[in-house]
Amino acid sequence: MAQKRGPDSHHVVPNPNGGWDVKRGGGERASGHFDVKQTAVDYGRQVSRNQGTELRIHNRDGRIGQSDSHGNDPNPPKG
């Protein structure tokens, strides 16, 4: 299954010029730029919780390393 990258997700991604960006899925511009990944993740989680979106945290190579659900989880846990 393809990873969702649309308006119902936020991504913490490496910036080609250094540092980390928080972007809305499918967006071009970053909503925040940070020198430290953990600071970007903290900001991304806050934004994701407020907007009820999925948060995708990418590694330096661009691959998704971690994912948090703060919205309508399409695969909620059973039980």
Side-chain angles (χ1 to χ4, degrees):
M1 181 161 91
Q3 290 294 331
K4 201 179 254 188
R5 186 167 174 89
D8 54 351
S9 63
H10 281 86
H11 297 257
V12 175
V13 296
N15 184 300
N17 297 320
W20 295 85
D21 291 337
V22 176
K23 293 185 176 183
R24 182 89 175 190
E28 294 290 320
R29 295 179 51 189
S31 60
H33 175 78
F34 305 89
D35 292 329
V36 178
K37 182 177 181 179
Q38 187 58 53
T39 308
V41 169
D42 292 344
Y43 175 78
R45 278 200 177 109
Q46 179 182 1
V47 171
S48 181
R49 281 188 189 117
N50 288 342
Q51 296 187 16
T53 62
E54 300 288 318
L55 178 64
R56 309 283 189 222
I57 303 166
H58 296 251
N59 295 325
R60 181 58 67 190
D61 65 5
R63 291 182 171 207
I64 295 173
Q66 188 177 354
S67 184
D68 290 350
S69 177
H70 298 115
N72 296 323
D73 190 350
N75 300 308
K78 297 188 185 206

